[in-house]
Amino acid sequence: MNEYKARKKDFQYDILELKLFFENGDVIAIDGSEVMDLKVRFYDSLVAFKDGYCPVAESGILRLKLKKFFQNCLSGSHACDDKKLRNERKEYIRSRLTDEKDLCAVYVYDEIGSGFFFFTQANAEAEGEELVLYLFGKREDGAEAEEHKIKLGNIRKNEIDSILLYFENCDYFSVDKTEVEEFQIAFESFLFLDHSGYRRVVKAGQIRLHFDRYFNREHELYRTPRKRKKFIKQLKRYLFGQEGSMVHDIVCMKIRYRYPRRLFMEEEIVEVNDIRGEGSVFFADDARNDESEYYFIGGCSEELEDGSILISFGRTAVNRLQAQTEDR
């Protein structure tokens, strides 16, 4: 197993919105103007959740000054007693937090468009017009380190159910487990913070595929031919253009796991490093519009002699492609 680390979050920007999550699945949205203060001390360890890894509050304080009505907050909320939330919003939230004590997580959205999700429990007390939530967690773990940590194993080919490849222009398509002939990926030691949690980042490695034109794949593409044979040609062109090899702009992958691993974590999103350093200049044939463009570069793709497709990641892969191109 490898140990991964991530810098702990500090809430240094103005908060635009909070969402409070409860054990029964209810969600209550809080406007940023109602948040008077938020300070959290996190446990060192992270826990797997949804498609990433999330922190747990060891202690902290969330101070709210609730208002009677916010239309945007009502539309972003869901509660079993929805009528009471709409008619008596302020009183309902105060009662829910002080009496039922079933808060389990908080989502924070700040002014720079950054979202952050963490697990927590809370004891709430009314202090005049304000409601103060004393956050806490129950874990046998320290909270003194400046960084989070988590130990994770490598992703093995036999654990994969499918892979969704996402490109820089937000297009994507899925690859079935039966099409994956090789999966060897190495990750950076530091995790990437995204809206739903911390994620692993691809450092290097490769995936070898052999497309099955009869697989009914998920996709969202700029142009999608109706005929299966032409559709596969389009997918190949996305990956290695008309020349049989080129740099690719795969920005992330959603890996869906097979049973029994999927019971622990149904899917995992892994980010891909942009290999371009400052001053680097790479141009490639953009499969979407037939023009030479400067864009995200995660590695390179090529079609092998046996018809399979090799998707490589990292600077070494791009350097190898560049050397091959110069030798032609």
Side-chain angles (χ1 to χ4, degrees):
M1 298 181 76
N2 299 312
E3 183 173 84
Y4 296 88
K5 296 182 179 181
R7 181 70 63 179
K8 289 185 178 179
K9 175 77 171 181
D10 58 343
F11 300 102
Q12 56 182 314
Y13 300 102
D14 290 341
I15 295 171
L16 298 181
E17 186 182 53
L18 286 183
K19 285 192 176 179
L20 307 178
F21 294 82
F22 298 86
E23 293 174 358
N24 69 340
D26 285 1
V27 183
I28 295 179
I30 306 294
D31 188 76
S33 63
E34 300 176 290
V35 181
M36 300 295 103
D37 192 19
L38 175 62
K39 293 184 177 66
V40 189
R41 172 183 164 100
F42 292 108
Y43 284 110
D44 297 340
S45 62
L46 296 168
V47 296
F49 178 68
K50 292 184 69 176
D51 54 20
Y53 304 93
C54 294
V56 180
E58 186 265 349
S59 59
I61 187 169
L62 171 57
R63 191 180 295 272
L64 304 175
K65 191 173 183 179
L66 298 168
K67 299 179 181 179
K68 289 186 177 181
F69 183 80
F70 265 111
Q71 181 59 45
N72 291 341
C73 290
L74 290 175
S75 62
S77 302
H78 164 77
C80 292
D81 199 341
D82 192 61
K83 185 176 180 181
K84 191 170 184 179
L85 174 62
R86 292 182 178 278
N87 296 335
E88 306 171 36
R89 177 180 181 270
K90 182 177 178 179
E91 292 74 16
Y92 174 81
I93 296 173
R94 287 172 71 99
S95 174
R96 181 69 184 267
L97 292 169
T98 55
D99 298 339
E100 298 190 35
K101 300 182 185 297
D102 61 340
L103 181 73
C104 65
V106 175
Y107 181 82
V108 184
Y109 187 78
D110 63 30
E111 64 178 341
I112 61 170
S114 175
F116 186 77
F117 180 92
F118 65 92
F119 293 105
T120 187
Q121 294 174 274
N123 290 319
E125 297 178 5
E127 292 185 5
E129 288 296 309
E130 294 185 346
L131 184 65
V132 182
L133 280 68
Y134 296 97
L135 310 178
F136 67 94
K138 295 180 179 179
R139 293 179 62 83
E140 297 295 327
D141 183 31
E144 295 78 21
E146 293 183 357
E147 299 170 342
H148 289 297
K149 61 182 179 181
I150 188 170
K151 289 186 177 181
L152 302 169
N154 294 326
I155 300 174
R156 295 176 293 187
K157 175 179 171 292
N158 62 359
E159 297 173 328
I160 297 171
D161 186 68
S162 64
I163 303 173
L164 273 73
L165 302 176
Y166 288 86
F167 297 84
E168 188 185 29
N169 70 340
C170 296
D171 283 5
Y172 70 87
F173 64 83
S174 65
V175 176
D176 186 61
K177 57 181 177 294
T178 59
E179 300 176 297
V180 181
E181 298 181 340
E182 181 185 353
F183 187 92
Q184 298 288 338
I185 297 295
F187 296 101
E188 300 282 4
S189 59
F190 268 81
L191 301 175
F192 171 80
L193 178 59
D194 198 18
H195 289 231
S196 59
Y198 293 95
R199 296 175 177 173
R200 286 194 268 189
V201 180
V202 175
K203 180 181 181 180
Q206 61 187 35
I207 302 172
R208 188 160 52 87
L209 309 172
H210 207 122
F211 283 134
D212 178 359
R213 69 178 182 179
Y214 297 104
F215 171 58
N216 188 24
R217 68 188 76 246
E218 299 174 54
H219 66 275
E220 182 68 45
L221 303 175
Y222 177 66
R223 288 179 299 204
T224 306
R226 293 185 178 182
K227 293 184 179 181
R228 291 180 183 270
K229 191 173 182 180
K230 288 186 176 180
F231 183 35
I232 294 299
K233 286 184 178 180
Q234 175 73 353
L235 298 184
K236 289 183 176 181
R237 193 172 177 215
Y238 253 73
L239 292 171
F240 50 75
Q242 296 180 341
E243 300 298 322
S245 62
M246 73 174 192
V247 294
H248 65 68
D249 61 334
I250 297 173
V251 297
C252 70
M253 297 183 287
K254 180 184 287 186
I255 300 170
R256 291 177 175 158
Y257 292 118
R258 302 174 69 177
Y259 176 85
R261 177 165 177 167
R262 71 183 303 124
L263 295 179
F264 165 70
M265 193 175 192
E266 185 173 341
E267 59 190 25
E268 179 177 1
I269 293 178
V270 298
E271 302 291 329
V272 176
N273 263 342
D274 188 337
I275 62 95
R276 297 173 302 173
E278 191 173 328
S280 298
V281 179
F282 289 97
F283 289 88
D285 175 35
D286 186 345
R288 265 72 73 196
N289 55 23
D290 297 320
E291 295 179 0
S292 186
E293 286 197 354
Y294 178 68
Y295 61 100
F296 181 100
I297 297 174
C300 62
S301 304
E302 57 189 305
E303 187 170 27
L304 304 180
E305 291 183 359
D306 62 358
S308 61
I309 298 145
L310 185 66
I311 303 174
S312 303
F313 298 92
R315 180 172 295 279
T316 302
V318 173
N319 289 344
R320 177 173 55 83
L321 174 63
Q322 217 173 16
Q324 290 175 349
T325 303
E326 291 172 356
D327 291 339
R328 289 174 184 171

